[in-house]
């Protein structure tokens, strides 16, 4: 492989000049830059990123840890981080960490060892105390979807409780009075806060959502399908269903349709996240929009210490969801229809 010395000799310039071209130094004349770049291309020269990192103390990399890249939500998160990385001539090192705090810690350690210029974490299993310790030792680490007071300046999150409130208010406006909910079984803040917000609005209307009306499952289509089947098996009667996320909502709609119910004529379903599949599901899914790409870009900017470029009057570490009404929700069934629905639900469980 060609070396920087080979490039300098062939281009008839100093090694220092080649180095300045590689590091995009503005002091290099355009004619010289073009000549050196042409020689580098002709020789097939590749920059030694490890050597450059030693000299500049920058690796031009952003680290990202997510639970599962196959989930459209996390793919959108990665897209947002990548767009900021490209603007700063950096690459994203992606690590997936599923189902355990150990795997998340290993992923983080791997990125720290590679001396990434910044690291964005979406962790579902690591305790707050572990994340606090990491951020206090490495200030360029940003935590997404967690609100930890001790490291508040390094946390960017969504107001999940507000999302639950908006979902309940929408369903109440449509006349629903009998509810059920399917939530993620993961031990994280999101499902607790979303369900808490939902219940708070119902409580104000003297309506309840008891333990039997809430089931838990994996935060994917299969989990949503299984959770709804559990509700039906336990003979829960409801006209509106609040799902933890869109994937679970889509799985729930499939299960309800297979059980003979029409969505939204018999049962309204509302999701959360507003992933691209929400627009293409049948019926199109009513949901809470999660500005994940905007959050990802904000997190990336903070992680690479570019937060000074942000308009702080326009950006907060807390983002708000917004309701997107589509076709999976409708007015509650009439009294006669409710009676038919009740009989139909009970009959299908016998």
């Amino acid at each position: 492989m060609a070396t920087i010395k080979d490039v300098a000799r062939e281009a008839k310039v100093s090694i220092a000049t080649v180095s300045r071209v590689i590091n995009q130094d503005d002091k290099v004349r355009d004619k010289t830059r073009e000549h050196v770049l042409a020689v580098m291309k002709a020789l097939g020269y590749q920059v030694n990123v490890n050597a450059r990192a030693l000299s500049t103390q920058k690796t031009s990399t952003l680290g990202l840890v997510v639970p599962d890249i196959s989930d459209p939500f996390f793919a959108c998160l990665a897209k947002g981080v990548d767009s900021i990385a490209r603007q700063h001539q950096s690459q994203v090192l992606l690590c997936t960490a599923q189902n355990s705090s150990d795997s998340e810690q290993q992923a983080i350690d791997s990125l720290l060892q590679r001396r990434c210029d910044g690291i964005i974490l979406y962790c579902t299993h690591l305790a707050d105390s572990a994340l606090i310790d990491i951020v206090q030792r490495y200030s360029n680490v940003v935590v997404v979807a967690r609100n930890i007071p001790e490291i508040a300046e390094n946390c960017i999150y969504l107001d999940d409780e507000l999302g639950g409130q908006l979902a309940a208010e929408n369903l109440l406006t449509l006349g629903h009075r009998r509810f059920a909910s399917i939530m993620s079984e993961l031990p994280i803040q999101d499902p607790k806060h979303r369900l808490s917000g939902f219940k708070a609005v119902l409580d104000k209307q003297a309506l309840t959502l008891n333990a039997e009306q809430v089931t838990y499952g994996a935060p994917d289509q299969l989990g949503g399908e299984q959770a709804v089947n559990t509700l039906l098996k336990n003979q829960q009667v409801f006209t509106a269903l609040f799902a933890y996320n869109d994937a679970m909502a889509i799985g729930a709609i499939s299960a309800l349709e297979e059980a003979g119910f029409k969505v939204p004529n018999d049962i309204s379903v509302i999701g959360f996240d507003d992933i691209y599949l929400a627009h293409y599901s049948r019926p199109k899914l009513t949901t809470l929009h999660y500005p994940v790409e905007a959050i990802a870009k904000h997190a990336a900017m903070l992680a690479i210490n570019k937060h000074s470029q942000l308009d702080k009057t326009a950006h907060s570490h807390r983002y708000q969801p917004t309701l997107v009404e589509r076709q999976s929700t409708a007015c509650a069934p009439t009294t006669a229809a409710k009676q038919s629905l009740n009989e139909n639900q009970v009959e299908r469980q016998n």
Side-chain angles (χ1 to χ4, degrees):
M1 292 180 65
T3 66
I4 192 170
K5 291 181 180 179
D6 297 329
V7 174
R9 183 173 56 251
E10 183 69 20
K12 294 180 173 59
V13 297
S14 68
I15 293 175
T17 297
V18 177
S19 179
R20 283 193 287 269
V21 171
I22 291 171
N23 292 310
Q24 301 179 353
D25 192 324
D26 293 336
K27 295 178 182 179
V28 180
R29 291 184 300 174
D30 290 342
K31 185 176 180 179
T32 301
R33 186 191 312 280
E34 292 172 4
H35 174 59
V36 172
L37 290 173
V39 171
M40 289 169 61
K41 183 176 180 180
L43 294 178
Y45 174 77
Q46 295 292 327
V47 176
N48 186 329
V49 292
N50 292 325
R52 185 168 67 177
L54 287 173
S55 64
T56 64
Q57 296 299 304
K58 292 188 67 176
T59 60
S60 297
T61 58
L62 273 181
L64 174 62
V65 176
V66 297
D68 181 6
I69 196 60
S70 66
D71 187 318
F73 177 88
F74 296 116
C76 189
L77 181 72
K79 178 183 177 183
V81 172
D82 182 66
S83 68
I84 296 299
R86 289 178 182 274
Q87 289 177 21
H88 294 88
Q89 291 76 51
S90 295
Q91 297 293 320
V92 176
L93 296 182
L94 175 65
C95 290
T96 57
Q98 299 184 16
N99 302 323
S100 76
S101 58
D102 286 343
S103 64
E104 289 180 345
Q105 187 64 62
Q106 289 169 5
I108 294 169
D109 289 342
S110 174
L111 294 174
L112 290 172
Q113 290 166 8
R114 286 167 171 76
R115 300 184 180 276
C116 294
D117 298 329
I119 298 175
I120 298 97
L121 306 179
Y122 193 113
C123 294
T124 57
H125 287 78
L126 273 180
D128 285 359
S129 58
L131 293 172
I132 291 170
D133 179 63
I134 292 168
V135 170
Q136 288 178 342
R137 287 187 291 123
Y138 305 97
S139 61
N140 62 340
V141 174
V142 176
V143 179
V144 175
R146 298 276 280 271
N147 179 22
I148 306 173
E150 292 85 348
I151 53 172
E153 289 302 312
N154 291 66
C155 293
I156 302 178
Y157 64 98
L158 185 77
D159 190 338
D160 288 294
E161 190 163 348
L162 174 61
Q165 293 170 2
L166 294 174
E169 289 170 357
N170 176 254
L171 294 172
L172 286 170
T173 299
L174 292 172
H176 294 278
R177 294 296 181 270
R178 305 190 74 167
F179 304 93
S181 180
I182 55 175
M183 287 285 126
S184 169
E185 63 189 3
L186 296 177
I188 54 178
Q189 296 176 347
D190 302 12
K192 296 176 184 178
H193 291 167
R194 293 175 190 182
L195 190 59
S196 174
F198 192 80
K199 286 182 174 180
V201 172
L202 297 189
D203 289 342
K204 291 180 180 179
Q205 301 297 321
L207 299 170
T208 60
L209 189 69
N210 58 44
E212 291 75 22
Q213 294 166 318
V214 181
T215 57
Y216 296 84
D220 54 28
Q221 287 95 325
L222 179 59
E225 184 178 5
Q226 292 173 338
V228 161
N229 284 333
T230 298
L231 286 171
L232 297 179
K233 181 180 179 181
N234 293 337
Q235 299 187 2
Q236 297 301 316
V237 178
F238 51 94
T239 65
L241 178 72
F242 175 42
Y244 166 71
N245 64 10
D246 293 342
M248 293 189 79
I250 291 170
I253 291 174
S254 176
L256 289 170
E257 295 281 354
E258 287 183 4
F261 302 109
K262 298 297 182 183
V263 177
N265 293 350
D266 297 329
I267 299 175
S268 289
V269 176
I270 186 167
F272 208 113
D273 287 346
D274 195 24
I275 61 174
Y276 71 91
L277 287 177
H279 184 78
Y280 295 101
S281 67
R282 290 294 178 270
K284 295 181 179 182
L285 189 63
T286 295
T287 184
L288 280 304
H289 176 70
Y290 193 132
V292 59
E293 192 165 345
I295 288 176
K297 291 178 179 179
H298 187 175
M301 292 290 285
L302 287 178
I304 57 179
N305 297 319
K306 296 294 182 180
H307 54 279
S308 61
Q309 297 180 10
L310 291 175
D311 179 358
K312 293 185 178 181
T313 63
H315 291 270
S316 168
H317 288 342
R318 180 178 68 180
Y319 283 71
Q320 294 186 342
T322 53
L323 180 71
V324 180
E325 292 188 77
R326 296 195 180 100
Q327 300 166 357
S328 66
T329 51
C331 292
T334 62
T335 302
K338 285 182 181 178
Q339 179 63 32
S340 175
L341 175 63
N342 293 351
E343 293 173 354
N344 189 24
Q345 286 182 320
V346 173
E347 179 183 348
R348 289 181 179 279
Q349 308 314 316
N350 294 331

